Amino acid sequence: MKFWLQILTVLVTLILISIWSKPALADDTNNQTNTSGSNTNITGGYESTTTNNNDGQTNTTTSTTTNTSTTNGSDVPPPSANSPSYSSMSQDVCSMGVSGSISTGIVGFSGGKHVVDENCERIKLAKVLQDFGMKVASVAVLCQDKRVFAAMEAAGTPCPYQGKIGPQAAEMWEKYPELRPDYEEHLAKQEVIARIDAEIAEEKRIEAERIAAEEAEAARIEAERIEQELLTLKEENEVNNIEPVIDTVPVNMHGE
């Protein structure tokens, strides 16, 4: 991680340098002005005088040529910086080459280095330990990867802990969670589990209160029904306990 941060810092610095700097210019000026004569590329002025004396008559011819040639050169960038080539030199070496380059209008940089592939080393070490018959040690090496650690825990076969395996190892990892390679992910999972358990407990509490309220209401209705039945039975008993009134006055059946 530190190496990549250094590479990123260098790249940003070079980009800022390329933005603030001006490109190198190739300036070549040759002024040429043709006043008379041909378009001969002559630097500076040229003057020719010819005198002819024929039969006492003198003819003088003066020719002056001033040539100015102007050529504006184009922007010529510097050569590109080429990244160096890096090779691991062997297929049994867990390393890879990383290189990069950057060019600006003024300067170019290139560099590279070897980066160790820890995952490749871990696999090779586990294979060698497995070949030597050290199965627990082989699994322990692989368990240094947090992905393997989480997979072993999800499968119900926790990674070894100082010679302990199975449920004993699980208890130790639970006791010392800071030693887990996936400690941060473990904390996030525990927070999710705690939140969901709290929601389930709240739902159960609400459901229990609802059931208790329904049972209390049913008990109240049943008590009212029983009370009503007792009142009815009491009224019936009072009616049955009333004795009939018998009139003892004789009735004259014959009109006497």
Side-chain angles (χ1 to χ4, degrees):
M1 182 61 69
K2 293 182 179 179
F3 169 73
W4 290 113
L5 291 177
Q6 294 175 356
I7 292 295
L8 181 60
T9 303
V10 172
L11 292 178
V12 171
T13 303
L14 295 177
I15 292 173
L16 294 177
I17 293 175
S18 64
I19 293 175
W20 292 338
S21 62
K22 294 183 179 179
L25 299 177
D27 192 1
D28 183 12
T29 303
N30 184 12
N31 295 326
Q32 179 179 359
T33 303
N34 295 329
T35 303
S36 176
S38 62
N39 292 328
T40 304
N41 188 7
I42 299 175
T43 303
Y46 178 80
E47 183 176 353
S48 176
T49 302
T50 303
T51 302
N52 296 323
N53 189 357
N54 295 324
D55 299 332
Q57 184 178 0
T58 302
N59 296 324
T60 301
T61 302
T62 302
S63 178
T64 303
T65 302
T66 302
N67 297 324
T68 303
S69 176
T70 303
T71 302
N72 294 327
S74 60
D75 297 344
V76 180
S80 300
N82 296 323
S83 302
S85 177
Y86 274 80
S87 175
S88 62
M89 303 301 178
S90 175
Q91 294 181 354
D92 197 42
V93 176
C94 294
S95 65
M96 58 182 178
V98 178
S99 62
S101 64
I102 185 171
S103 297
T104 66
I106 297 177
V107 65
F109 294 93
S110 64
K113 66 173 297 185
H114 279 102
V115 179
V116 177
D117 187 353
E118 295 182 357
N119 189 42
C120 175
E121 287 186 343
R122 189 176 295 114
I123 293 173
K124 289 183 178 296
L125 292 174
K127 184 177 183 304
V128 173
L129 290 172
Q130 178 71 22
D131 294 339
F132 288 162
M134 306 294 292
K135 296 183 179 181
V136 177
S138 175
V139 174
V141 170
L142 293 176
C143 284
Q144 294 175 358
D145 191 318
K146 60 183 180 181
R147 296 170 298 180
V148 177
F149 191 95
M152 294 285 288
E153 186 178 36
T157 54
C159 291
Y161 181 89
Q162 296 183 355
K164 296 180 176 60
I165 60 176
Q168 295 179 352
E171 292 178 0
M172 298 304 296
W173 289 120
E174 189 68 23
K175 184 178 180 181
Y176 304 106
E178 293 84 357
L179 301 178
R180 300 167 58 108
D182 62 339
Y183 177 63
E184 295 181 357
E185 291 81 359
H186 177 69
L187 290 181
K189 291 179 181 178
Q190 292 299 319
E191 291 178 358
V192 173
I193 293 173
R195 176 176 56 82
I196 294 177
D197 289 344
E199 293 176 356
I200 294 175
E202 182 66 16
E203 292 177 356
K204 289 183 177 180
R205 184 186 65 80
I206 295 174
E207 182 67 16
E209 291 180 354
R210 184 186 64 80
I211 294 174
E214 291 179 354
E215 292 178 351
E217 181 65 18
R220 185 185 64 80
I221 294 173
E222 182 66 16
E224 291 180 354
R225 184 185 65 79
I226 294 174
E227 184 179 0
Q228 186 64 31
E229 290 181 354
L230 291 175
L231 292 175
T232 303
L233 291 175
K234 184 177 180 181
E235 291 177 354
E236 290 178 354
N237 289 332
E238 290 179 354
V239 172
N240 292 331
N241 291 331
I242 296 176
E243 296 179 356
V245 178
I246 301 173
D247 189 4
T248 57
V249 178
V251 178
N252 187 1
M253 299 299 295
H254 301 283
E256 294 179 358

